[in-house]
Amino acid sequence: MASLKKIGFFWGEEKITLVEFKKNTPLQVVTSPLGSKTNISSPFSSNLTEDIQITAILQKMLQENRMTDGSFNISLPIKEIILRSFIIPFVKPEDMQNAIKFEAKKYLPIDIQDLTFVFYSTPFTENKTKRLQIIFFAVRKELLERYERIFNQVNAVITYGEPCMVSLTKVLLFKKEISPTDHLAFLILDKHFGRICFIDKGIPQFIREFSISSQFPSEEDKDTIETLNLKVVNEVENSFDFYARQFSGERIEQMLVAAEEEPQNLFNALETELKLKLRKVSPVATMGALGSGVEGRNSDMDTIYAMGACIDPLLESVSGFNFFKDKSVKSNFKGDFGQILKSYKEVVFVFLICVIALVGVNVFFQVQFKFAQKQYDQLSSKQGSFLNVPMESIQSESKDNTDKLTAYKNIRTKSDMALILLRVSSHLPKGSWLKDLKVAYNQADPNDAHVSIDMQGDVLGEDPNEEIAVVNQIFSDFKEDKELSRFIKSVSLVTLNREDYHGDQVTGFNIHCS
């Protein structure tokens, strides 16, 4: 029986947020700050190193808060999402996927084959011609694979994943901050940036980000406050202009504003310039009891995103944005026997063509069979006493002889294996050990002294960063070993992962030399 619990997950810029749900009721909120990132000059400054750190943090959060079961629903940050809107001709549901792929290629910076996408379509009529307005969300497949890889490390499976602005919309609908028929804008102001999202009937249609001051000014600094207010108002007006050019529809009458620290008079300036009905929204008030478990204002929106990923949508239109499910549209066509009868002439014609084709194929195979029988009789007369020897035996013996001859030609008369093994063992410091070591010469050329080396091992230490440093040293020692350079040309780190070894967390590695 499937668990009734859901765990919302959001990976923000500064922290990871988990929200545990049961029957649309939040049970607890857990946040954990992210550690410092690896130095970009290090050869280990990559997603692989960061994945290990995130996996360790996530595993600790789950264990300490006893989140042992439940399906994981993730909300993807907007920086990872590609959002586009475009119009396509009206097509049947079964043809919509291909039509969207064809049109989306014009608006995407990368190959659509590298993306997973979801969409929402709205039919409309323009100049007496039916068309479809498409709201298109896409994310890189490698990002989804990265999330799945991290969750697999903690024995968890992702069942649902959506854009964070869809999660936000679901929360606003669930908490009745907006209604299903509203056409509005939502403005989020942080210390470093602003983000405005235009929502129509529960569907995010257009999102724009803009930078603002590195920090909000104090109330005493009136000149800086007025400058910041003017910048925010101008950016919001530009966003409305972009939206109006891309979408034609009813005028937006209201805008929700969520700000960590609202500069003095900003709210009044927005109302005056935009001539809209503005309403302040507090994430803490929106979350209700959830707000008390979150430290710091910066986590408010992160918690809303994680919360929204778990909420059952009130509108069916908001339920189709799962990146972890095949979104192919199935045809709703049901066959009409009356229509089939009307086209009986075409059915009879196709039937006759098939009969003629079957007769032709039968005649062709009869001719081929007689020709093959004649060849068989001629070959049998030539084989004589070898006629009853199985062909498999002849082929097997021929292959064995060929393999033996090749092996004799490629016998190696000199080996440096002892020196290679000695150099390999000299680069393993205290706290590290090998689980698997494979050293092989090039069998095709007995005069080639180069070898390939595959090593799998573990490093045990008190801190994951220290373990990574040990692997880094092993990796560097192999690259700089002049003795080994006579036998290998390149050294690469294939994998780096956290593993459980008899109750201890170790860092596993796989190094390939060739």
Side-chain angles (χ1 to χ4, degrees):
M1 179 177 173
S3 172
L4 297 177
K5 288 185 180 180
K6 295 180 181 179
I7 301 175
F9 175 89
F10 184 78
W11 181 352
E13 290 290 335
E14 300 177 358
K15 58 177 61 63
I16 287 178
T17 303
L18 295 177
V19 180
E20 188 177 26
F21 263 66
K22 186 174 183 180
K23 296 181 179 179
N24 260 11
T25 302
L27 301 179
Q28 62 175 324
V29 175
V30 181
T31 63
S32 179
L34 298 175
S36 58
K37 295 185 179 181
T38 308
N39 190 331
I40 59 175
S41 62
S42 169
F44 292 92
S45 177
S46 64
N47 287 343
L48 188 61
T49 304
E50 188 177 20
D51 289 355
I52 293 179
Q53 296 173 339
I54 297 300
T55 301
I57 293 173
L58 177 59
Q59 188 173 41
K60 182 179 180 181
M61 294 173 69
L62 296 175
Q63 290 175 349
E64 290 182 351
N65 296 278
R66 298 181 179 180
M67 295 182 181
T68 55
D69 59 355
S71 59
F72 281 83
N73 294 20
I74 68 172
S75 182
L76 294 171
I78 197 62
K79 68 177 183 178
E80 307 290 359
I81 302 297
I82 299 174
L83 172 58
R84 296 290 186 271
S85 173
F86 48 83
I87 296 173
I88 64 172
F90 189 87
V91 295
K92 296 179 181 179
E94 59 266 30
D95 299 327
M96 194 175 299
Q97 283 273 342
N98 291 332
I100 290 176
K101 286 182 179 180
F102 177 82
E103 186 67 21
K105 292 178 181 179
K106 304 175 184 178
Y107 307 95
L108 298 178
I110 59 178
D111 191 346
I112 195 170
Q113 300 299 328
D114 297 329
L115 299 173
T116 296
F117 68 90
V118 292
F119 64 91
Y120 178 76
S121 62
T122 304
F124 68 99
T125 302
E126 184 180 47
N127 298 327
K128 297 182 180 180
T129 302
K130 295 182 69 176
R131 298 180 182 275
L132 290 173
Q133 175 78 46
I134 303 297
I135 306 298
F136 178 93
F137 289 88
V139 65
R140 291 177 182 271
K141 291 180 180 179
E142 63 182 14
L143 177 70
L144 301 182
E145 293 170 355
R146 186 183 184 192
Y147 271 84
E148 290 181 315
R149 185 168 60 249
I150 291 173
F151 276 80
N152 285 337
Q153 290 291 324
V154 297
N155 296 321
V157 178
I158 302 172
T159 58
Y160 189 87
E162 65 185 8
C164 67
M165 300 313 285
V166 174
S167 304
L168 171 64
T169 301
K170 289 163 61 179
V171 172
L172 295 175
L173 289 168
F174 181 75
K175 291 293 184 178
K176 298 183 179 179
E177 292 281 352
I178 64 175
S179 68
T181 58
D182 281 346
H183 185 204
L184 59 107
F186 193 103
L187 175 64
I188 302 171
L189 296 177
D190 201 344
K191 291 182 178 181
H192 307 289
F193 66 91
R195 179 182 296 132
I196 185 168
C197 176
F198 295 86
I199 303 170
D200 186 22
K201 297 181 178 62
I203 303 298
Q205 293 192 321
F206 178 77
I207 299 171
R208 182 171 179 262
E209 286 187 344
F210 51 90
S211 62
I212 53 180
S213 175
S214 59
Q215 61 180 7
F216 280 88
S218 62
E219 295 185 1
E220 292 78 14
D221 194 353
K222 294 183 178 180
D223 292 337
T224 307
I225 290 176
E226 291 178 359
T227 301
L228 177 60
N229 289 348
L230 180 61
K231 178 177 178 60
V232 173
V233 171
N234 288 337
E235 291 291 350
V236 172
E237 286 183 327
N238 291 337
S239 301
F240 271 79
D241 291 339
F242 290 159
Y243 178 75
R245 289 197 296 269
Q246 189 169 0
F247 295 84
S248 59
E250 299 178 356
R251 183 179 183 275
I252 295 178
E253 298 293 343
Q254 64 171 320
M255 182 169 72
L256 278 61
V257 180
E260 290 189 5
E261 297 179 20
E262 180 189 333
Q264 187 178 7
N265 298 325
L266 174 60
F267 202 83
N268 294 333
L270 287 170
E271 280 191 328
T272 301
E273 294 296 327
L274 297 175
K275 297 179 175 58
L276 294 176
K277 177 182 178 182
L278 266 64
R279 180 157 54 94
K280 298 179 182 179
V281 176
S282 169
V284 174
T286 299
M287 291 181 291
L290 289 178
S292 61
V294 182
E295 297 181 2
R297 295 182 178 181
N298 191 48
S299 63
D300 292 342
M301 294 307 301
D302 290 9
T303 307
I304 283 186
Y305 297 146
M307 177 183 177
C310 291
I311 291 178
D312 295 329
L314 299 180
L315 299 178
E316 184 178 358
S317 58
V318 193
S319 63
F321 296 99
N322 185 9
F323 286 113
F324 290 88
K325 182 181 179 181
D326 181 16
K327 302 305 296 180
S328 59
V329 180
K330 297 182 180 179
S331 172
N332 294 321
F333 174 77
K334 296 181 180 179
D336 187 346
F337 185 68
Q339 292 181 354
I340 296 177
L341 290 179
K342 291 180 182 179
S343 58
Y344 71 95
K345 292 183 180 180
E346 296 180 1
V347 175
V348 172
F349 176 75
V350 173
F351 175 75
L352 292 176
I353 292 297
C354 292
V355 170
I356 294 173
L358 289 174
V359 171
V361 170
N362 182 59
V363 172
F364 174 76
F365 276 110
Q366 290 292 336
V367 173
Q368 292 295 317
F369 176 77
K370 291 181 179 179
F371 179 73
Q373 184 67 41
K374 182 178 179 182
Q375 286 186 322
Y376 174 78
D377 294 338
Q378 293 175 349
L379 183 61
S380 298
S381 62
K382 294 180 179 179
Q383 286 181 329
S385 60
F386 294 99
L387 179 62
N388 296 325
V389 178
M391 181 59 68
E392 293 80 3
S393 299
I394 297 175
Q395 293 176 343
S396 177
E397 185 174 352
S398 176
K399 183 177 182 303
D400 290 342
N401 292 335
T402 301
D403 293 343
K404 290 178 181 179
L405 180 60
T406 302
Y408 293 150
K409 291 180 179 180
N410 293 335
I411 290 178
R412 185 175 295 274
T413 59
K414 180 181 178 181
S415 172
D416 296 291
M417 195 63 68
L419 175 60
I420 294 173
L421 294 177
L422 179 61
R423 298 307 302 168
V424 169
S425 62
S426 67
H427 296 315
L428 297 176
K430 182 180 180 180
S432 63
W433 66 93
L434 289 181
K435 297 191 296 185
D436 188 19
L437 174 65
K438 296 179 180 178
V439 183
Y441 278 99
N442 182 5
Q443 298 297 330
D445 186 359
N447 298 318
D448 188 357
H450 289 90
V451 300
S452 63
I453 304 174
D454 287 286
M455 295 174 290
Q456 291 185 6
D458 294 320
V459 175
L460 175 63
E462 296 180 356
D463 183 8
N465 290 328
E466 293 180 357
E467 296 174 0
I468 293 176
V470 172
V471 177
N472 187 11
Q473 186 61 46
I474 295 174
F475 176 75
S476 300
D477 289 345
F478 270 91
K479 292 186 66 174
E480 297 173 1
D481 192 315
K482 295 183 178 180
E483 290 293 332
L484 284 178
S485 64
R486 295 191 292 122
F487 309 103
I488 59 176
K489 295 180 179 179
S490 65
V491 181
S492 60
L493 180 63
V494 179
T495 60
L496 181 66
N497 59 286
R498 294 284 292 167
E499 300 176 351
D500 182 82
Y501 182 78
H502 298 299
D504 293 322
Q505 291 295 316
V506 300
T507 299
F509 63 89
N510 187 341
I511 296 177
H512 176 74
C513 309
S514 61

